[in-house]
Amino acid sequence: MDQQQQQQRDSSYSNYEAFRNSGQPGGSTVHIVDVAAGQQRPANFVQPDEGRSGEPQYRGLKTSESKPLGCMEWLVTVLSVLVFIVTSPISIFICFKVVAEYERAVIFRLGRLSGGARGPGMFFILPCIDEYRKVDLRTVTFNVPQQEMLTKDAVTVTVDAVVYYRISNPLYAIVRVEDYSTSTRLLAATTLRNIVGTRNLSELLTEREMLAHNMQATLDDATEPWGVMVERVEIKDVSLPISMQRAMAAEAEAARDARAKVIAAEGEKKSAAALKDASDVISSSPSALQLRYLQTLSSISAEKNSTIVFPLPMELLTPYLANYMPRMQLPPKPQLPTIPSTDE
């Protein structure tokens, strides 16, 4: 019973990518059993879906594979089989091909698609009428070339990025686009330019990760019809002109100087308040000022200076000044006698 359920669950996977994304454990060789047909096929084989027009569809891709062959096509096919039979066993080494685990092969017979993507392993082609193209499924990395761009606030910058992508559908990569690698590279450069043109310089420098995610989403949506999946985008460097770097450095230096002046002013304010409190404490006791003078003299003498200026407090001279104060007073002015006026 468990084996039948396992076979039914395996038959629901249409290709190797769906089987791998499902997270189902398995060995190196996996086969999907078609219960209705009673035959076994590789897990990476894409079963075509018959559309209304009778043409097979590979996940939305219409092909002319099921159209009947003409007389000339039948004749060429028969001749190719005869050539294979006559030249065997030498033709065996030519007609049997092998693709690695990370590759898929798309076969065209007389220009028409012959089955889905083949591989990994061995497959057979007929001489003279079959041709195949291999597609690498591994992740490809390329650098988006540096290019000067204009930001939203009219600043010229030079930006370069790294893009990681892989082929998710070999049929789409071969049939729907001529060169998926070149197309993806050109689209990445254009998308990077468009995204940079809609951002300010400050956003470009501080929100680099968000810009990379936006670029990845845009590229992934655009390359999905080509069978290309963009896995990751990283912005490597944002270069500014020398004049802009100097202007930004001057602005940052001016901001730091302004903060330093504010901090120094706050320190002066706090020190002035502390000196005011100290002066209030010293003024409450006359002897405290003399002790402060002695402390200052002690600190000055420790520096071994040749000249010492010692302030003499006026409070020490107060008793002497009190004794000599009467002598220092001026005598009173004598009063002149008044002459009586004679009135007639």
Side-chain angles (χ1 to χ4, degrees):
M1 184 65 180
D2 296 339
Q3 186 177 3
Q4 294 179 357
Q5 294 178 356
Q6 180 71 21
Q7 291 177 354
Q8 293 177 1
R9 184 168 62 252
D10 291 343
S11 63
S12 62
Y13 299 107
S14 60
N15 50 45
Y16 177 76
E17 295 293 335
F19 182 82
R20 185 179 62 178
N21 295 334
S22 66
Q24 180 178 353
S28 59
T29 304
V30 182
H31 296 276
I32 296 177
V33 178
D34 193 348
V35 181
Q39 56 184 353
Q40 196 176 29
R41 54 186 172 84
N44 56 358
F45 178 77
V46 181
Q47 178 68 28
D49 299 328
E50 293 293 336
R52 295 182 179 180
S53 60
E55 297 179 354
Q57 297 181 2
Y58 296 90
R59 280 188 282 179
L61 179 63
K62 295 182 180 180
T63 62
S64 60
E65 182 181 354
S66 62
K67 289 184 177 181
L69 299 177
C71 296
M72 194 65 182
E73 293 175 340
W74 275 112
L75 179 61
V76 172
T77 303
V78 172
L79 291 177
S80 177
V81 174
L82 292 177
V83 170
F84 172 74
I85 296 175
V86 171
T87 58
S88 61
I90 299 175
S91 59
I92 295 177
F93 300 97
I94 301 175
C95 296
F96 283 95
K97 304 294 182 179
V98 178
V99 291
E101 182 70 28
Y102 53 85
E103 293 177 336
R104 298 294 181 270
V106 179
I107 303 176
F108 295 93
R109 178 166 297 171
L110 295 175
R112 297 183 181 183
L113 184 65
S114 178
R118 306 294 179 86
M122 182 182 297
F123 61 93
F124 174 79
I125 61 173
L126 291 176
C128 303
I129 64 172
D130 285 354
E131 62 175 350
Y132 71 98
R133 293 183 60 182
K134 291 193 296 184
V135 180
D136 198 331
L137 301 183
R138 293 176 295 182
T139 301
V140 180
T141 306
F142 68 90
N143 291 326
V144 179
Q146 290 187 356
Q147 43 189 333
E148 293 185 356
M149 310 173 190
L150 195 65
T151 60
K152 187 178 180 180
D153 51 354
V155 178
T156 303
V157 296
T158 302
V159 184
D160 59 340
V162 182
V163 179
Y164 302 84
Y165 75 93
R166 66 178 180 88
I167 301 300
S168 60
N169 193 325
L171 294 179
Y172 285 13
I174 297 299
V175 177
R176 286 196 168 185
V177 62
E178 180 180 3
D179 189 351
Y180 61 86
S181 178
T182 304
S183 301
T184 304
R185 293 171 187 269
L186 295 177
L187 183 62
T190 306
T191 304
L192 179 61
R193 181 179 292 274
N194 294 336
I195 290 180
V196 171
T198 58
R199 296 292 190 275
N200 296 326
L201 179 61
S202 58
E203 296 177 354
L204 187 62
L205 295 176
T206 58
E207 301 177 359
R208 186 177 302 182
E209 184 176 358
M210 186 183 68
L211 295 178
H213 286 304
N214 293 340
M215 183 177 175
Q216 176 188 358
T218 305
L219 282 176
D220 198 15
D221 293 339
T223 57
E224 184 179 1
W226 304 340
V228 177
M229 177 184 295
V230 179
E231 295 181 340
R232 189 180 182 88
V233 175
E234 292 292 341
I235 297 178
K236 291 175 59 179
D237 188 22
V238 179
S239 302
L240 299 176
I242 301 299
S243 58
M244 180 59 64
Q245 294 180 9
R246 292 176 180 175
M248 295 179 66
E251 181 182 1
E253 185 177 358
R256 287 194 297 267
D257 291 342
R259 288 195 298 267
K261 291 180 180 179
V262 170
I263 294 174
E266 291 179 354
E268 292 291 340
K269 180 180 178 181
K270 293 180 181 179
S271 62
L275 288 175
K276 180 180 178 299
D277 296 339
S279 63
D280 293 339
V281 173
I282 292 175
S283 62
S284 63
S285 177
S287 60
L289 183 60
Q290 180 64 22
L291 293 176
R292 182 58 184 164
Y293 286 154
L294 294 176
Q295 291 178 358
T296 304
L297 181 60
S298 176
S299 61
I300 292 174
S301 62
E303 296 179 0
K304 299 180 180 180
N305 293 329
S306 59
T307 303
I308 297 177
V309 179
F310 179 69
L312 182 63
M314 297 301 297
E315 289 80 359
L316 297 178
L317 303 178
T318 302
Y320 301 100
L321 294 177
N323 296 330
Y324 290 97
M325 187 59 68
R327 300 179 183 179
M328 296 176 63
Q329 292 180 356
L330 296 175
K333 295 181 179 180
Q335 297 180 357
L336 298 175
T338 58
I339 300 174
S341 61
T342 57
D343 297 334
E344 294 180 357

